[in-house]
Amino acid sequence: SRKDYLILFLIWLISLITDCIWIGKHNLPPAWDQSSHLSSAFEAAKLFSSPEYLSSEWWNTLWSKFPSYRGPFTYLVSIPIIHFFGASYKSAMLTNQLFSLILIFSTYYLGRIIYNRNTGLWASFLCLISPAFLAQRTDYLIDLSLVAFLTLSWLLICIWRFDIYLNRWLSSILAGFLLGIVFLVRPTGLIFFWLPFLIILLNIFTNLFKRKFALLIQFLIGLLACFTLVWPWFSQNWLTILLSINKARQW
């Protein structure tokens, strides 16, 4: 395991070095979508320069900055890096290195669960050299963060479903929180979970006929964790979120 962690760290380190070299030489202004994402990130960073965590008005102001289906989580993660390196396109790009790290480790563990450790290592390596991921790592959009947290959510759902690595009750809560994070990145990301949800619901109904209720309770706890995380943002912007999702669907 230590050897695998070292390999994964080297994979991430290579991506970090190559991306930083590219970002350092990148001087073009951001395009339309990138400008919109940067504006949201800079507004959030400005609010957190003088936070008022105990003020409901401050929280309402924060959630009101993100009224569309583009959730706030990517921008919130970017805040420490923007504060440290300054408000710029290049510093915002560096946030992708955190998402890349999450993607590499999540892909590795999914590969181990599906087949073996070599599968996980090769899959993580492909995340490094894939042109699609390379393009996302050297830009500022919410696609890479969505992919990273989708993959991590898939991993937690597998850990919960197959009862491995973690206590099943704990993994159900973590899986719920991860689904909430996916929603806070982009609500439409939950569409990618239709198949595991269908399989889990079939398993739940099968267990109910056998009078086994643990899987149902764990599933409900996960949904409660997800709901608790997304409710503050969704409750304030639900109408504009649903309308913008519908417009994106039509487009």
Side-chain angles (χ1 to χ4, degrees):
S1 295
R2 290 181 180 177
K3 181 181 178 181
D4 289 357
Y5 292 149
L6 178 60
I7 294 173
L8 294 173
F9 177 75
L10 289 175
I11 290 173
W12 175 76
L13 186 61
I14 292 171
S15 73
L16 174 65
I17 294 172
T18 53
D19 293 351
C20 285
I21 292 173
W22 192 95
I23 292 171
K25 296 181 177 295
H26 179 78
N27 295 309
L28 293 176
W32 177 270
D33 281 353
Q34 290 84 342
S35 298
S36 176
H37 293 303
L38 282 171
S39 297
S40 297
F42 292 162
E43 287 182 354
K46 184 178 180 180
L47 273 175
F48 273 88
S49 61
S50 54
E52 300 176 19
Y53 297 118
L54 299 180
S55 171
S56 59
E57 183 178 352
W58 183 85
W59 285 105
N60 290 335
T61 303
L62 175 65
W63 301 135
S64 67
K65 299 293 183 181
F66 316 105
S68 75
Y69 72 99
R70 294 170 172 175
F73 194 79
T74 304
Y75 314 128
L76 297 179
V77 174
S78 304
I79 290 173
I81 296 177
I82 291 174
H83 281 168
F84 187 80
F85 291 102
S88 69
Y89 189 18
K90 292 184 178 182
S91 62
M93 289 181 193
L94 292 175
T95 311
N96 292 323
Q97 298 305 318
L98 175 60
F99 304 136
S100 179
L101 181 65
I102 294 172
L103 178 63
I104 287 171
F105 275 83
S106 301
T107 303
Y108 163 75
Y109 274 105
L110 275 175
R112 288 193 63 165
I113 292 172
I114 293 169
Y115 199 65
N116 57 27
R117 62 177 291 272
N118 287 334
T119 302
L121 290 173
W122 276 106
S124 298
F125 178 71
L126 290 175
C127 289
L128 166 67
I129 64 174
S130 168
F133 286 132
L134 178 61
Q136 291 296 323
R137 293 200 310 265
T138 52
D139 208 341
Y140 190 70
L141 297 165
I142 61 175
D143 301 287
L144 183 61
S145 59
L146 181 62
V147 171
F149 289 111
L150 277 171
T151 309
L152 185 57
S153 297
W154 271 88
L155 175 61
L156 262 297
I157 289 174
C158 289
I159 289 173
W160 167 64
R161 179 63 189 86
F162 299 118
D163 195 14
I164 53 177
Y165 296 134
L166 296 174
N167 176 275
R168 200 164 197 177
W169 294 92
L170 175 61
S171 60
S172 67
I173 296 173
L174 293 177
F177 277 124
L178 261 297
L179 289 174
I181 288 176
V182 170
F183 189 94
L184 290 176
V185 174
R186 183 186 289 176
T188 51
L190 294 182
I191 294 172
F192 290 96
F193 294 99
W194 71 270
L195 181 58
F197 282 169
L198 179 61
I199 294 173
I200 290 170
L201 288 174
L202 290 174
N203 289 331
I204 288 174
F205 285 121
T206 302
N207 285 344
L208 288 178
F209 283 114
K210 299 177 182 178
R211 295 187 177 182
K212 296 179 180 179
F213 302 101
L215 194 64
L216 173 61
I217 296 172
Q218 291 165 5
F219 181 72
L220 293 177
I221 289 174
L223 290 182
L224 179 61
C226 176
F227 180 80
T228 302
L229 191 62
V230 306
W231 179 250
W233 173 62
F234 183 76
S235 63
Q236 184 168 324
N237 301 286
W238 65 272
L239 181 59
T240 52
I241 292 171
L242 295 178
L243 290 175
S244 61
I245 288 175
N246 186 50
K247 288 182 180 179
R249 178 192 62 80
Q250 292 173 350
W251 179 81

